[in-house]
Amino acid sequence: MQQPWLLARPEVDLDRVRRHATEHFGLGGEYRELGSQQDRNYLVSAESGAGALLKIHHPVVTGEIVSLQAAVAERYRDAGLATPALLRTSDGDISVPITLPDGREAQMCAFALVDGSTLADLEAVDGAAAEHLGGFVGRAVDALRNLDHPSADREIQWELTLAPRVVAELLHELPGDRRDACLAAARRAAAHLEALDDLPRQIIHGDLTADNIMRDSSGVSWIIDLGDVAQSWRIAELAVLVADIMGRTGDLTIACRAVRGFSQQVAEAGFALTDDELDALWPLVVLRGAVLAVSGWSQLRIDPANDYARERIEHEWQVFSRTAGLAHDDVVAQLRLAAGRAHRRGLEYAPILTEQRSARVIDLGIRSADLDRGRWTSPSIETDLAREALAAAPVAVMRFGESRLTRVSTDVSAPAPTKARCVDLWSRPGVSVHAPFSGVLTRVGEIIELTDGGVTLRFDGLEADAAGIDVPDQGRPVSSGAVIGRIAERVPGLGRLRMLRRAMGAAPDPAFGAAGDEYAVAGAADPSPILGVPACPDPILRLREERRRRDRAMGGAAERYYAEPPQIERGWGAILIDTEGRAYLDMVNNVTAIGHAHPRLADAVGRQLHLLNTNSRFLYEAYADFTERLLAHAPDPTLDTVIPVNSGSEAVDLAIRLAQAATGRRDVIAALEGYHGWTMAADSVSTSAYDNPSALDSRPDWVHLVDAPNAYRGPHRGAGAGAAYARQVADRAAQLAEAGHGPAAFICEPVLGNAGGVIPPEGYLAGAYAAVREHGGLAIADEVQVGYGRLGAAFWGSEMQGVVPDIIAVAKAAGNAYPIGAVITRRDIVDALRRDGMFFSSAAGAPASAVAGATVIDVIVDEGLQENALLVGAVFAERIEELAARHPLIGAVHGSGLYRGIELVRDRESLEPAVEETAWICERLLDFGVIVQPASERQNVLKVKPPMTFGLRDVDVFVAAFEAVLTELGKRERRSLGEGFEEAL
Ligand code: PMP
């Protein structure tokens, strides 16, 4: 008999293919052949345009089958699932026949290219990825429901209802030592299938694996290769994915996550897998493995030159071998639980506690409102919350899979075990506990286990004796619903029953896992379906979606930290916490001056939002509360006027405008390498090469640049550097005056924030200010980064330098990341602006912003944060200097107080910037729980500007982590930094 499944790739005449493709699809250009089992695929790089994928189908694929594929593609698109567009011929057709050298006719199609990579190339499959894929496949199945097509009944080797026949007929192709195992497993699987008759049929893709799903640069997943589309069993679509995951990971727990994702997705779509489908799933997985195994070898025999088939052969055998050995009944029990069903057909779990149905879920997640105001740091918080919940309900539940904020450690050095692998049921002590299913009860030390087949439920906090139950070592059978003990008292008046599930005899998991451990990778066995309580969605799934969501919405120009950023959803003091319950020490947040989630600020702003938040033209108290407080901190009584704005960029912009209005001039002298903001004027005086590499070529004619006063690595160093840099300002001002348009202003950060806290050399600002004033200009201090007490020694950078500016720009710290900034200046200068019109910015100084601004200043004063910055900053610098004695990479510690820059150099003489090392250190420090970023023009300075609540313990944590990372770096050869280093970033 002719076996319809033995299809070698057709021989083609490439010249002819090219001519045909050019004529019908307009696809000239270069052709590169891509791998395929039985078709010919070419990547065509077009002479002009986007290029395409050209496919010469095997001759068995008729035009009707191409139309079936097109119908499927359309359904996918209608359901919001991307799939490459079929290009049309000049006659508007989706395929065109081509005659092959052997006289047969084949269909030629062309597809638009997808700019992305297959999931198989992009990422290893972990539990979250598997769950996501399962959901995706669920959507694909749903998209094709009720689709009819006359050509959908296809006899192809991949159509799984035919698998037993395909395996039997191709078995001889396998190497001899593999045949028996393959045949036996396929027969067993086929026997299981024979007993099932409720297997819904529909058209499916038939090959939805990580090889056939691509992800593009904006995070969109694409379904490719519709070559195996056919009418089949619906469940076969999931079986193909599960087989693929087993082949890649060999981990049934991960495969179960795909089943979970699929089941949840189809439930949302309004249908559920039938019991027969759940029974059929595993046999189909095994059969898929067997088909892959036999077909790989047969393909090689009929098409020995097919490298694509050759390369895949061992992987395909692995799919089979990793599935065939597992005990059918035990696996089905796990798959059923993953699908949210009882582990046996027809089984209904008895409630463990009689009053369980009215249980209340306690939210211990990172964003839980019950844990605000630092409540999560209390050691007794879980029992406190349980007690509160039990005042309102007989039973309280803490969920499986939740990253519990209550277990986040403020010691950031290693991830704490926060992820619950257990379910906790809280209740009064002494309450009877019932067996949820019939099984065997055994005692393992303090723990009692109930086992049925491959399913084991472990109880911690269960007293069997108290209910008169004897649990012998060899176990005793119990039936579903029987009392198996009582809940032990955990703390006075409170009992806690903790339950974990063990799958198929696996070793018990600890009750909590840490981010990044094998549980995070797989996702341990979840007891929730047995207990009838909800599980917590996996935060890793959410995190990945969040990364894609952000990329989709923001495009490429928006900056963000880290290649693979954690999802930070809570802060506290100088600590940031991600959704997996990992805490980090925040070293970069000068915006959050008074620390994260400061209750006083949250209360004040929250209260104001309840009262009023409106545009700032109304009269209300908060406006003056803020501006008066700011003026109270002004560095000189001559600075007597404040205009609130929304951001640092606006503050600088307004400062420049004020100077221009007051002097009636345009020209501004600015120091190089600075960053002052993104608005037109602020950007014009910004030349930081990191922020804008071509800044120097594009400054407007009113901007005049002088060297950054950096006595560490600039042109002037050592004694006299301050005067030398100031002379540049003086010379420039004089030139401008001579040319008949003297300077309106000189702008500079009083401490060079962008350079990493470099303090200008002695006498610089005094000299520069005097020079610009001599020529009728004004001095602008951009204190957006360094002002507000952070420098410790003074509230303002200019104060530290012994100068009084004419205009000060502030923001960042001013609102603790609430959008408020200000310009502080003299009345006469503001009056000059009035001549040009009034100043108004809707939300600048609006009630809530102004309250934020006033509260921040109060907190800085009341909590002595400037003093803290002075003290802790000095210790910090000392400790880094100590490290520098041992680590030559540390070239200098710049700055003052808690505005510091650790400059890293490859050589202390040449000062060659250690750029790659700095980037690597920042990424690596994240693993140590420390968030720090590179700064400066050269990106070789670690910027250290933590919340001003940063304490001595935090210094210890940073120094220990930094030292460990420096030591690790020292062990790497310089050469290895140059190579493989880039990829490591
Ligand atoms: N000036 C300086 C010195 C800055 O560092 C920044 C921001 N990094 C700005 C102005 C602009 O502030 P914003 O981002 O609030 O607009």
Side-chain angles (χ1 to χ4, degrees):
M1 184 194 96
Q2 165 69 38
Q3 287 166 333
W5 17 86
L6 281 186
L7 303 175
R9 293 170 305 163
E11 287 306 322
V12 296
D13 171 350
L14 190 53
D15 281 339
R16 191 176 172 152
V17 166
R18 203 181 268 131
R19 279 199 308 278
H20 211 64
T22 309
E23 181 188 337
H24 294 282
F25 291 103
L27 287 173
E30 261 184 48
Y31 278 55
R32 183 160 70 80
E33 179 152 14
L34 303 176
S36 170
Q37 281 270 13
Q38 57 198 36
D39 304 322
R40 292 280 174 182
N41 291 334
Y42 299 93
L43 186 66
V44 185
S45 341
E47 282 145 353
S48 62
L53 182 103
L54 188 80
K55 190 183 229 358
I56 317 293
H57 284 284
H58 190 278
V60 298
V61 175
T62 58
E64 285 76 46
I65 290 173
V66 174
S67 90
L68 163 70
Q69 294 169 357
V72 167
E74 201 175 311
R75 277 293 193 95
Y76 284 154
R77 276 186 221 110
D78 288 349
L81 295 164
T83 185
L86 261 172
L87 304 185
R88 300 260 167 191
T89 66
S90 41
D91 295 333
D93 298 324
I94 51 174
S95 71
V96 59
I98 178 171
T99 308
L100 301 175
D102 62 9
R104 290 182 299 171
E105 194 170 79
Q107 296 296 321
M108 174 188 268
C109 293
F111 298 87
L113 289 182
V114 178
D115 183 15
S117 306
T118 66
L119 294 188
D121 287 337
L122 275 180
E123 57 192 21
V125 188
D126 58 16
E131 189 170 326
H132 179 73
L133 274 174
F136 187 78
V137 169
R139 283 178 66 194
V141 164
D142 183 40
L144 303 186
R145 271 209 287 173
N146 308 322
L147 175 65
D148 253 343
H149 195 281
S151 303
D153 276 319
R154 301 175 66 197
E155 276 218 336
I156 51 174
Q157 61 179 323
W158 305 112
E159 204 279 277
L160 275 181
T161 65
L162 303 174
R165 218 176 105 201
V166 174
V167 175
E169 290 177 14
L170 298 182
L171 188 74
H172 63 280
E173 308 272 2
L174 270 182
D177 58 341
R178 293 183 173 179
R179 281 181 209 156
D180 287 351
C182 189
L183 184 63
R187 283 199 173 137
R188 275 197 307 273
H192 283 298
L193 289 177
E194 266 163 29
L196 308 170
D197 50 21
D198 184 16
L199 293 179
R201 295 172 64 83
Q202 71 164 64
I203 294 174
I204 63 170
H205 178 284
D207 196 16
L208 264 183
T209 65
D211 283 311
N212 283 335
I213 301 172
M214 290 181 77
R215 171 123 358 106
D216 70 18
S217 53
S218 39
V220 175
S221 296
W222 293 73
I223 299 178
I224 61 168
D225 191 356
L226 306 190
D228 298 337
V229 160
Q231 178 81 16
S232 185
W233 288 319
R234 170 174 82 180
I235 190 65
E237 193 86 298
L238 178 59
V240 167
L241 176 70
V242 170
D244 187 52
I245 292 173
M246 287 303 289
R248 284 173 207 280
T249 66
D251 188 333
L252 183 65
T253 317
I254 296 182
C256 280
R257 295 285 301 276
V259 177
R260 175 181 154 123
F262 183 93
S263 311
Q264 286 177 349
Q265 181 62 44
V266 299
E268 268 176 41
F271 64 97
L273 293 174
T274 66
D275 279 327
D276 276 2
E277 283 183 298
L278 284 166
D279 274 353
L281 179 56
W282 192 248
L284 286 172
V285 170
V286 174
L287 281 168
R288 167 77 176 183
V291 170
L292 282 170
V294 296
S295 84
W297 288 95
S298 59
Q299 203 67 34
L300 268 192
R301 182 176 58 76
I302 57 172
D303 187 5
N306 193 335
D307 292 338
Y308 176 77
R310 189 179 303 279
E311 278 163 21
R312 302 175 64 84
I313 227 154
E314 281 313 309
H315 167 74
E316 286 165 350
W317 179 252
Q318 214 168 20
V319 175
F320 172 76
S321 61
R322 285 179 157 175
T323 55
L326 302 181
H328 170 86
D329 289 352
D330 289 354
V331 175
V332 172
Q334 308 308 321
L335 297 175
R336 288 183 60 90
L337 282 166
R341 307 290 183 79
H343 65 271
R344 285 180 193 276
R345 252 180 200 242
L347 176 65
E348 254 187 59
Y349 293 123
I352 290 200
L353 307 180
T354 318
E355 294 176 308
Q356 188 179 319
R357 287 197 209 298
S358 14
R360 165 172 293 224
V361 173
I362 299 178
D363 181 1
L364 300 180
I366 305 305
R367 295 170 55 114
S368 167
D370 296 336
L371 298 170
D372 289 351
R373 296 170 192 278
R375 261 196 102 188
W376 61 273
T377 57
S378 156
S380 63
I381 183 65
E382 286 188 7
T383 45
D384 293 348
L385 289 176
R387 215 179 279 284
E388 285 165 24
L390 290 183
V395 181
V397 185
M398 294 180 179
R399 291 173 298 171
F400 175 90
E402 189 155 61
S403 294
R404 293 191 185 174
L405 179 60
T406 46
R407 286 169 188 258
V408 169
S409 167
T410 50
D411 171 6
V412 299
S413 52
T418 56
K419 291 190 133 191
R421 295 163 159 148
C422 56
V423 172
D424 287 341
L425 288 184
W426 292 83
S427 153
R428 294 180 315 282
V431 166
S432 294
V433 178
H434 304 261
F437 51 82
S438 304
V440 175
L441 213 53
T442 43
R443 182 186 291 281
V444 189
E446 294 286 290
I447 306 287
I448 289 181
E449 291 193 343
L450 175 64
T451 301
D452 176 33
V455 176
T456 299
L457 195 58
R458 290 168 64 79
F459 297 92
D460 181 359
L462 173 66
E463 288 176 337
D465 326 350
I469 312 283
D470 176 35
V471 184
D473 285 350
Q474 71 278 20
R476 67 175 271 171
V478 289
S479 46
S480 177
V483 172
I484 53 173
R486 300 197 190 289
I487 294 190
E489 180 159 70
R490 180 157 182 83
V491 289
L494 268 189
R496 188 195 68 194
L497 186 62
R498 170 163 291 170
M499 283 151 293
L500 284 93
R501 177 156 76 85
R502 251 175 353 110
M504 295 169 61
D509 287 308
F512 292 89
D517 72 4
E518 81 280 12
Y519 162 73
V521 170
D526 177 3
S528 309
I530 298 175
L531 310 172
V533 296
C536 206
D538 185 347
I540 302 178
L541 266 171
R542 186 75 223 167
L543 159 73
R544 291 182 186 159
E545 177 52 24
E546 220 41 62
R547 287 178 186 158
R548 288 193 284 273
R549 203 154 77 111
R550 179 159 171 147
D551 286 348
R552 271 201 299 273
M554 302 287 293
E559 259 187 53
R560 70 167 196 209
Y561 292 144
Y562 298 111
E564 306 245 294
Q567 186 181 342
I568 306 287
E569 296 286 358
R570 187 181 282 269
W572 183 245
I575 291 219
L576 291 170
I577 300 166
D578 75 11
T579 46
E580 285 189 82
R582 175 85 164 98
Y584 304 89
L585 190 60
D586 177 5
M587 306 284 292
V588 298
N589 244 304
N590 60 338
V591 175
T592 314
I594 63 170
H596 296 283
H598 200 295
R600 206 168 144 188
L601 181 63
D603 287 345
V605 174
R607 172 77 193 121
Q608 186 58 48
L609 288 173
H610 277 292
L611 287 173
L612 172 76
N613 201 23
T614 178
N615 87 57
S616 52
R617 278 181 288 206
F618 288 98
L619 178 65
Y620 48 86
E621 264 182 39
Y623 195 92
D625 284 349
F626 169 58
T627 51
E628 278 176 13
R629 275 174 178 75
L630 196 51
L631 282 180
H633 283 85
D636 192 83
T638 54
L639 296 165
D640 56 2
T641 309
V642 171
I643 305 181
V645 290
N646 300 288
S647 70
S649 301
E650 288 180 35
V652 170
D653 209 290
L654 180 59
I656 291 173
R657 241 183 92 186
L658 283 168
Q660 291 178 332
T663 59
R665 301 166 169 186
R666 287 174 68 228
D667 295 78
V668 175
I669 302 172
L672 278 162
E673 301 186 19
Y675 178 78
H676 297 285
W678 65 268
T679 59
M680 284 293 221
D683 175 68
S684 297
V685 292
S686 300
T687 47
S688 154
Y690 173 69
D691 294 289
N692 177 3
S694 58
L696 289 182
D697 308 326
S698 55
R699 291 310 85 196
D701 62 356
W702 55 268
V703 173
H704 308 278
L705 299 164
V706 291
D707 278 326
N710 183 337
Y712 175 69
R713 64 159 63 246
H716 306 292
R717 305 179 193 179
Y725 285 114
R727 208 168 306 120
Q728 289 189 5
V729 180
D731 291 349
R732 204 79 189 94
Q735 281 166 14
L736 290 170
E738 260 167 50
H741 46 97
F746 163 69
I747 180 167
C748 185
E749 284 187 90
V751 169
L752 307 180
N754 191 54
V758 172
I759 300 181
E762 179 92 35
Y764 173 69
L765 277 189
Y769 281 17
V772 78
R773 283 172 178 152
E774 188 189 321
H775 292 284
L778 298 175
I780 303 175
D782 179 347
E783 299 263 10
V784 168
Q785 285 233 47
V786 298
Y788 257 71
R790 166 169 296 283
L791 295 165
F795 197 82
W796 303 106
S798 48
E799 246 177 320
M800 257 183 72
Q801 293 280 306
V803 291
V804 178
D806 301 296
I807 308 174
I808 298 177
V810 300
K812 288 205 194 256
N816 215 47
Y818 208 85
I820 184 153
V823 167
I824 311 173
T825 186
R826 293 197 305 270
R827 181 59 47 98
D828 58 302
I829 295 175
V830 173
D831 285 346
L833 185 65
R834 255 192 106 154
R835 288 196 295 271
D836 293 351
M838 302 292 285
F839 173 81
F840 169 64
S841 168
S842 302
S849 307
V851 162
T855 310
V856 166
I857 295 178
D858 287 349
V859 170
I860 290 177
V861 172
D862 295 352
E863 296 186 6
L865 295 184
Q866 183 181 335
E867 294 75 10
N868 185 66
L870 182 66
L871 176 93
V872 178
V875 174
F876 179 86
E878 226 171 78
R879 300 284 302 278
I880 303 298
E881 296 285 5
E882 270 166 38
L883 277 187
R886 271 169 286 141
H887 296 277
L889 194 71
I890 301 177
V893 187
H894 302 300
S896 169
L898 284 176
Y899 201 110
R900 298 285 178 176
I902 306 174
E903 180 142 6
L904 303 179
V905 293
R906 290 190 178 147
D907 181 307
R908 286 183 181 171
E909 284 298 308
S910 72
L911 304 185
E912 184 191 348
V915 180
E916 285 81 11
E917 292 88 335
T918 307
W920 186 84
I921 287 170
C922 289
E923 288 283 337
R924 189 74 184 101
L925 277 171
L926 190 66
D927 299 331
F928 285 80
V930 173
I931 291 185
V932 70
Q933 288 288 306
S936 101
E937 190 81 351
R938 287 154 286 274
Q939 296 288 288
N940 71 319
V941 183
L942 298 179
K943 60 177 152 194
V944 175
K945 39 184 195 171
M948 284 154 65
T949 55
F950 201 75
L952 292 175
R953 242 195 79 210
D954 299 322
V955 175
D956 289 341
V957 170
F958 175 76
V959 171
F962 188 36
E963 167 127 58
V965 170
L966 282 173
T967 307
E968 191 182 324
L969 184 67
K971 288 190 188 137
R972 290 169 169 250
E973 292 216 349
R974 271 284 294 282
R975 193 172 42 77
S976 77
L977 280 186
E979 294 158 17
F981 194 70
E982 297 265 287
E983 303 110 70
L985 293 181

